[in-house]
């Protein structure tokens, strides 16, 4: 670490939204960054989840953190005086807390996606301009060593000017299915997977190419999940949620909250407060997001992307290839399978196997060595956290990994345009959705 409590005051953080993703932040603050940072408050709509988060922090001997219900957000800021608010709420409410935090004089760290539509983006932009405060978006995949190496190879000119990219991302029947069990299954909450999940992927392409999307065409559908698809495959027994349902007992897609202490504490034990069911059937009614998506994007630098996202694959990870005027770069990354909060968070999305192959024109192909890094999301989580809370910024000028609100907006623009293209069958100019500065 480059900072210590003796040389500089600790930066004060409050966190709003204590669901599954929040644990990455409050655990790290309590356990790893006590010299540079301090968590001063927790906020949520559900007191049971607040109590669980506080108990986890206390188990790390980090003291008793005060909790506030969402209605008392302003009072929390006034009483605890945080420098920065960490937003890990449901996607559709990100903008509410980002904007209010800025107005109350705080900087913001927000989970991806920054928000889910263009009007909310415009509100965030206006608040940043009005308050002159900072918003950082946590694109942990930028920090994964293999993704940083891809950036490095492309920037070196090893394949010349990049002309096209093919990017295929597979979510398997554990992780992929999980988006169809919980609040993400309603597009009004998440913007669908082309916004909620693919924001990671589109941000990587924006970052790798150092460009922005210009025009987008897409097609998408729900071909696997949902009741109608299950019926067409001969399924005859259905249930609304797994808990208490005999029909779910032998369903490999069922999530049994009572069999996992963390899921039980965060969700099953908290249901009495808000009625939220974390274990809905992936073959139930009411799902409004696609599970099979294909997108074509032309970027401002004239490169073209073909992208696919499948949410029911037999393995988890991605393949990406770059064609350029001097050759081709190919990568395959196999990631560990997981259910959010269903296991050790440090292993979520960990890279299990990585191959990076450079094929220069008129030369023999050669494999590029990749540094292996421990931790979730390909080793990116730990490096991101060190930059956020530890005062570290390794090679940031070289890699430009830190992401602001403009990057956050650019990352969802492709998904928003793709969703419009799916609805209309037309090519979409992203400037018709949001004209970035």
């Amino acid at each position: 670490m480059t900072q210590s409590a003796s040389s500089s005051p600790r930066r004060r953080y409050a966190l709003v939204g204590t669901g599954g993703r929040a644990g990455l932040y409050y655990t790290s603050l309590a356990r790893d960054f006590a010299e540079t940072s301090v968590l001063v408050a927790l906020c949520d709509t559900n007191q049971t989840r607040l109590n669980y988060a506080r108990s986890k922090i206390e188990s790390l001997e980090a003291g008793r953190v005060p909790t506030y219900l969402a209605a008392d957000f302003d009072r929390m800021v006034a009483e605890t005086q945080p420098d920065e608010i960490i937003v890990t709420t449901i996607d559709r409410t990100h903008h509410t807390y980002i904007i209010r935090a800025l107005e109350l004089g705080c900087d913001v760290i927000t989970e991806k996606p920054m928000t889910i539509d263009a009007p909310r983006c415009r509100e965030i932009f206006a608040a940043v301009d009005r308050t002159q405060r900072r918003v950082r978006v946590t694109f942990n995949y930028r920090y994964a060593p293999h993704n940083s190496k891809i950036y490095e190879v492309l920037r070196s000119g090893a394949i010349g000017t990049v002309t096209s990219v093919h990017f295929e991302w597979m979510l398997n029947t554990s992780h992929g299915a999980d988006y169809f069990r919980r609040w993400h299954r309603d597009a009004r909450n998440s913007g669908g997977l082309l916004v909620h999940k693919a924001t990671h992927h589109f941000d990587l392409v924006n970052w790798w190419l150092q460009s922005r999307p210009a025009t987008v065409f897409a097609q998408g559908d729900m071909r696997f999940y949902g009741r109608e698809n299950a019926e067409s495959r001969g399924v005859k027994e259905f249930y609304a949620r797994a808990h208490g349902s005999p029909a779910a007992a032998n369903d490999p897609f069922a999530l049994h909250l009572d069999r996992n202490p963390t899921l039980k504490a965060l969700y099953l034990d908290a249901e009495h407060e808000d009625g939220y069911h974390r274990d809905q059937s992936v073959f139930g009614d009411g799902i409004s997001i696609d599970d099979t998506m294909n997108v074509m994007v032309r970027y401002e630098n004239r490169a073209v992307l073909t992208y696919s996202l499948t949410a029911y694959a037999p393995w988890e990870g991605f393949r990406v290839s770059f064609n350029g005027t001097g050759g081709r770069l190919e990568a395959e990354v196999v990631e560990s399978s997981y259910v959010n909060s269903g296991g050790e968070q440090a292993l979520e999305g960990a890279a299990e196997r990585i191959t990076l192959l450079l094929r220069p024109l008129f030369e023999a192909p050669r494999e590029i060595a990749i540094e292996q890094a421990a931790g979730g999301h390909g080793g990116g989580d730990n490096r991101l956290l060190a930059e956020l809370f530890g005062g570290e910024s390794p090679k940031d000028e070289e890699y430009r990994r830190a992401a602001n609100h403009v990057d956050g907006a650019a990352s969802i623009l492709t998904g928003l345009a793709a969703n419009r293209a799916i609805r209309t069958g037309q090519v979409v100019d992203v400037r018709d959705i949001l004209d970035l500065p």
Side-chain angles (χ1 to χ4, degrees), residues 161-286:
T161 300
V162 176
T163 56
S164 67
V165 184
H166 179 65
F167 198 177
E168 179 184 16
W169 201 289
M170 281 69 66
L171 299 169
N172 68 6
T173 49
S174 176
H175 182 202
D178 208 33
Y179 294 109
F180 296 81
R181 298 185 186 109
R182 48 192 175 136
W183 55 262
H184 308 72
R185 74 205 311 255
D186 186 341
R188 295 172 299 180
N189 291 331
S190 64
L193 290 178
L194 285 174
V195 173
H196 173 82
K197 183 60 182 176
T199 184
H200 266 318
H201 315 153
F202 297 139
D203 175 70
L204 278 175
V205 180
N206 293 347
W207 178 60
W208 281 329
L209 299 181
Q210 289 293 292
S211 190
R212 292 175 179 172
T215 58
V216 177
F217 182 70
Q219 293 189 338
D221 204 348
M222 185 166 61
R223 299 297 307 277
F224 185 80
Y225 299 110
R227 181 164 182 145
E228 186 176 3
N229 289 318
E231 288 174 339
S232 71
R233 294 192 294 270
V235 176
K236 298 184 183 303
E237 193 172 26
F238 294 90
Y239 56 91
R241 63 172 304 193
H243 185 66
S245 171
N250 298 314
D251 180 8
F253 288 93
L255 182 67
H256 299 284
L257 300 176
D258 55 354
R259 300 178 187 177
N260 182 285
T262 301
L263 292 172
K264 180 179 183 297
L266 275 176
Y267 301 108
L268 188 61
D269 294 348
E271 287 180 6
H272 67 280
E273 291 193 46
D274 54 23
Y276 172 56
H277 294 163
R278 172 68 175 79
D279 60 345
Q280 297 172 79
S281 170
V282 301
F283 300 116
D285 292 318

Side-chain angles (χ1 to χ4, degrees), residues 313-353:
W315 67 281
E316 180 93 3
F318 69 91
R319 293 188 179 107
V320 62
S321 57
F322 303 83
N323 297 302
T325 56
R328 178 178 169 92
L329 181 66
E330 301 170 349
E332 178 175 290
V333 179
V334 178
E335 294 188 346
S336 59
S337 176
Y338 68 96
V339 170
N340 189 278
S341 302
E344 187 178 347
Q345 194 156 33
L347 299 179
E348 292 185 355
E352 295 183 348
R353 188 176 75 247

